[in-house]
Amino acid sequence: MSQHRKDLLVEVGNFVEQLYQKGVRDVVLSPGSRVAPLALAFARHPQINTKTVSDERSAAFIALGIAQQTNSPVAIACTSGTAALNYAPAVAEAYYQRVPLIVITADRPTEWIDQWDGQTIQQQNIFGKHIKKAYHMPVDLSHEDAKWYRQRIGAEAMCNALEYPSGPIQINWPLREPFYPEEGEQFIYESTPQSTREIIQSEPYLDQETWEEKLIPLFESNKKVLIIAGQQQRNDYIVEHLNQLNIPVVSDIISNYGSVDQAIIHQDVFLTPTVIEELQPDIVITFGMSVISKNLKLFLRKNPPKYQLHIQEAGEVPDPFQSLSTVIRSTPEAFFDQLSDFELSFDDDFLNYWKEADDKVKANKTDFFDLLSFSELEIVNHLINELPKNAVLHLANSMSVRYANFIGLQRPDVDVHANRGTSGIDGSTSTAIGYAISDKDRPHFLLTGDLAFFYDRNAFWNNYLPSNLKVLLLNNQGGVIFRMIDGPTRQPELEEYFETEQRTNAHHLAKEFDVHYWGINSKEEFYFNYQEFLTKNDKPSIFEVFTNKNISKNTFKAFKKEGIYTKS
């Protein structure tokens, strides 16, 4: 065995073991020659689940879905050249959703960059600011200092990815030939305490002095308090403490806090930017990440609270409501635990105003669809109402996630996920497939539109399609969201340059990838076939509903108009 290949097998194997020791259990590879030593080391590790997906863009989003489901770091690895660029959309999504993707890009030796050598581009820091940090491995690993540096990079990179707020990191690894092991040559999987570096966190609870001198006086003099939950996975411990507070909790569908006793789920329907004095808070408490509700953002920007407190233990804090006044370096679990322990009273009338507005929308929703033509909003309402117990709902971007947010969800047994870090349509299906692959005991439903679905059609191009995935596809032959926006609607180029009108359907795709398929053209067909769609579970299913974009637009506008809040 050459010394170069011996060093490579040891260092690549030890690197893979480092990742395993820090929690990596799943790897999604995309094939190529330059990535071979890494691919083989992952595939041969006895305790790592390795999958291969040819399309790097889809592969990265599938890995994102796996990481969301497992709450663990997931590695992706690709060959050199443009392969890495295809990771970019999922890496950006992971960055804004704070998901620890371990992005490994195999590279050519440094001296061949920009020399017209095949599959060679500038790969160092290729993801720019959409990654926590980019690392570059040494090309040659014969010197002891280079081996130490390789080990240091592995340890530092994993700690960086996992440290709150977690997120993606890139490890760019130039690999010199020969790098294919010969028969009988083995990777070495070893680790040391130094190679699996540990970070010890501090206590997240605020001290008594901070509460007594700053926070309690603030709440005693400002009784109208509003809590806003951003995108996150539900924590039942937080729910328990929120239920002890007589404070309205605004909960987008992607916050997963719609089951809280005082949850407000229809704020995007009843709020307008116009000043509504009884709904204006003195204090807003936010936790979690982004919110969907545009009307909530506009309302609070026009009617700002005196104070906005954001709870986040570390990292930069955005200011989407333009009112951030205090960053509380605690966890939501610790903060709401402490807040519920103090005997503080809040404005009951303020809570009632928010609940009355929300209840009005709920009451209108009961009979609303009986009076109107069949529309996309009715389809979404039926999907959400008929979700099986312990289901997972995945929402594609554009109108799909907005429809679902207007309908709302209050069930604690249903988890909701969406790529709202960047809000792109490019990887919704792949992410849902990745999540379902890692969660085979629950039914998974993806609500998507035609543009998002066909944009990500390569999500089905792999050998791991989960039978527990059901896709409800709204096909209105284009991007109907542009009919909901005043600017594009007034333009004569609406259909060709904004909606991008198309006549594609999913029938042939379903046949190609061997999934169940229904093509639905009417209300009668929808309700007649829907139960079969729910119960067929031997392979994935696509339930494609062809809808009228103008009817859907008018129904959506009527629903919003019905729910606008007015003082009684």
Side-chain angles (χ1 to χ4, degrees):
M1 181 190 300
S2 71
Q3 187 61 43
H4 165 74
R5 196 162 62 233
K6 179 180 178 181
D7 290 335
L8 187 66
L9 293 178
V10 170
E11 294 306 318
V12 170
N14 288 347
F15 168 74
V16 169
E17 181 64 18
Q18 276 185 298
L19 270 56
Y20 172 76
Q21 293 295 331
K22 295 300 288 185
V24 172
R25 297 294 181 270
D26 294 279
V27 177
V28 181
L29 303 171
S30 293
S33 183
R34 190 63 49 168
V35 75
L38 289 158
L40 292 171
F42 281 122
R44 295 178 185 181
H45 192 286
Q47 293 169 295
I48 290 179
N49 303 312
T50 304
K51 295 177 173 62
T52 179
V53 177
S54 297
D55 184 327
E56 286 88 4
R57 188 180 73 183
S58 180
F61 276 111
I62 286 173
L64 177 70
I66 295 172
Q68 289 173 339
Q69 194 281 321
T70 60
N71 288 314
S72 300
V74 173
I76 53 178
C78 68
T79 194
S80 63
T82 57
L85 288 168
N86 288 303
Y87 280 164
V91 170
E93 182 67 29
Y95 181 78
Y96 286 108
Q97 278 205 52
R98 299 172 176 172
V99 175
L101 273 189
I102 312 305
V103 184
I104 306 166
T105 52
D107 201 356
R108 301 289 173 122
T110 307
E111 64 269 19
W112 287 108
I113 306 301
D114 295 337
Q115 299 305 311
W116 291 349
D117 200 37
Q119 286 186 237
T120 308
I121 65 172
Q122 294 280 356
Q123 291 184 205
Q124 293 190 44
N125 201 28
I126 199 170
F127 305 109
K129 294 184 178 180
H130 292 125
I131 205 153
K132 290 188 75 176
K133 189 172 180 179
Y135 300 86
H136 192 70
M137 286 290 191
V139 178
D140 298 305
L141 296 163
S142 58
H143 197 281
E144 289 304 311
D145 287 352
K147 294 176 182 179
W148 163 81
Y149 185 58
R150 196 283 311 152
Q151 176 183 283
R152 197 197 99 190
I153 286 177
E156 182 182 320
M158 286 303 299
C159 282
N160 195 344
L162 296 171
E163 187 177 11
Y164 188 91
S166 59
I169 55 91
Q170 180 200 6
I171 299 174
N172 191 58
W173 198 327
L175 294 163
R176 192 184 303 284
E177 297 183 76
F179 44 59
Y180 284 97
E182 299 288 346
E183 184 178 351
E185 296 178 350
Q186 302 291 326
F187 290 97
I188 306 300
Y189 300 107
E190 294 179 346
S191 67
T192 66
Q194 291 74 33
S195 68
T196 55
R197 189 179 302 172
E198 181 182 6
I199 294 178
I200 298 176
Q201 300 290 344
S202 60
E203 172 64 47
Y205 282 80
L206 301 178
D207 60 78
Q208 190 73 12
E209 182 179 348
T210 297
W211 279 99
E212 291 178 354
E213 294 187 4
K214 294 185 177 181
L215 294 177
I216 291 177
L218 189 69
F219 288 122
E220 286 178 338
S221 56
N222 297 277
K223 301 290 188 178
K224 295 180 179 180
V225 179
L226 184 70
I227 295 173
I228 299 174
Q231 181 176 19
Q232 59 197 289
Q233 295 186 22
R234 182 181 58 257
N235 182 315
D236 290 335
Y237 186 77
I238 294 175
V239 172
E240 177 185 341
H241 291 290
L242 290 176
N243 286 342
Q244 298 173 30
L245 302 167
N246 60 323
I247 299 175
V249 181
V250 175
S251 305
D252 271 350
I253 194 167
I254 60 171
S255 78
N256 286 293
Y257 280 91
S259 61
V260 171
D261 290 346
Q262 313 297 353
I264 307 297
I265 64 171
H266 293 300
Q267 65 282 350
D268 217 10
V269 183
F270 65 75
L271 282 177
T272 67
T274 306
V275 175
I276 306 170
E277 184 178 351
E278 61 267 28
L279 296 182
Q280 183 176 10
D282 297 327
I283 297 175
V284 168
I285 303 173
T286 56
F287 69 107
M289 294 176 287
S290 65
V291 298
I292 303 169
S293 302
K294 183 176 181 180
N295 285 342
L296 176 67
K297 296 174 190 174
L298 294 175
F299 174 73
L300 289 175
R301 289 170 191 171
K302 189 172 180 64
N303 312 294
K306 297 176 186 174
Y307 307 95
Q308 183 202 335
L309 319 180
H310 184 76
I311 307 162
Q312 184 174 304
E313 59 186 286
E316 294 184 7
V317 178
D319 187 15
F321 304 118
Q322 298 181 324
S323 57
L324 183 64
S325 60
T326 306
V327 176
I328 297 178
R329 291 305 191 191
S330 178
T331 64
E333 298 95 315
F335 179 83
F336 290 119
D337 182 6
Q338 290 184 287
L339 180 62
S340 62
D341 279 345
F342 292 104
E343 295 183 1
L344 293 168
S345 61
F346 301 99
D347 191 322
D348 288 332
D349 288 337
F350 180 70
L351 170 62
N352 291 334
Y353 285 133
W354 277 88
K355 291 293 290 181
E356 286 170 7
D358 204 50
D359 290 342
K360 177 188 173 185
V361 180
K362 292 175 187 173
N364 288 343
K365 189 169 59 175
T366 304
D367 302 319
F368 179 80
F369 299 108
D370 293 337
L371 307 175
L372 297 170
S373 299
F374 189 53
S375 70
E376 292 176 344
L377 195 62
E378 179 179 351
I379 294 166
V380 175
N381 183 63
H382 188 76
L383 168 69
I384 289 176
N385 289 338
E386 296 298 319
L387 285 170
K389 187 176 181 181
N390 296 320
V392 181
L393 177 61
H394 302 268
L395 301 170
N397 280 307
S398 290
M399 285 309 300
S400 298
V401 71
R402 288 173 173 83
Y403 282 144
N405 199 48
F406 270 72
I407 295 300
L409 180 68
Q410 292 188 281
R411 288 173 52 181
D413 65 309
V414 175
D415 292 331
V416 182
H417 294 273
N419 284 349
R420 294 301 292 179
T422 60
S423 304
I425 66 169
D426 38 9
S428 304
T429 307
S430 293
T431 306
I433 285 175
Y435 201 109
I437 285 171
S438 299
D439 186 30
K440 295 180 179 178
D441 294 332
R442 292 191 291 175
H444 288 253
F445 291 78
L446 169 64
L447 173 66
T448 184
D450 50 285
L451 291 189
F453 180 82
F454 294 116
Y455 197 100
D456 194 23
R457 62 179 293 135
N458 272 2
F460 292 88
W461 183 33
N462 63 74
N463 297 321
Y464 314 101
L465 291 182
S467 61
N468 57 333
L469 177 70
K470 297 181 182 296
V471 179
L472 199 159
L473 168 57
L474 303 175
N475 192 336
N476 49 46
Q477 289 81 50
V480 76
I481 189 171
F482 293 105
R483 289 187 179 241
M484 312 292 188
I485 305 170
D486 288 338
T489 303
R490 297 194 301 269
Q491 309 309 315
E493 297 88 353
L494 170 66
E495 291 187 356
E496 182 175 0
Y497 293 102
F498 292 92
E499 286 186 335
T500 316
E501 187 174 0
Q502 52 81 32
R503 297 295 174 187
T504 309
N505 65 65
H507 175 72
H508 293 293
L509 181 148
K511 186 176 181 180
E512 180 182 0
F513 294 109
D514 189 28
V515 303
H516 290 302
Y517 175 79
W518 294 261
I520 305 299
N521 291 283
S522 69
K523 182 172 186 174
E524 291 73 25
E525 287 184 9
F526 176 83
Y527 287 105
F528 181 79
N529 290 282
Y530 195 81
Q531 193 60 34
E532 186 181 22
F533 167 63
L534 286 184
T535 54
K536 276 202 171 183
N537 297 313
D538 57 317
K539 54 187 178 182
S541 298
I542 298 174
F543 199 75
E544 183 172 23
V545 188
F546 299 95
T547 61
N548 183 295
K549 59 185 70 175
N550 288 316
I551 290 174
S552 295
K553 170 189 173 181
N554 293 334
T555 303
F556 188 58
K557 287 193 171 184
F559 186 75
K560 289 196 294 184
K561 186 176 180 181
E562 281 286 315
I564 291 175
Y565 177 75
T566 54
K567 186 175 180 180
S568 57

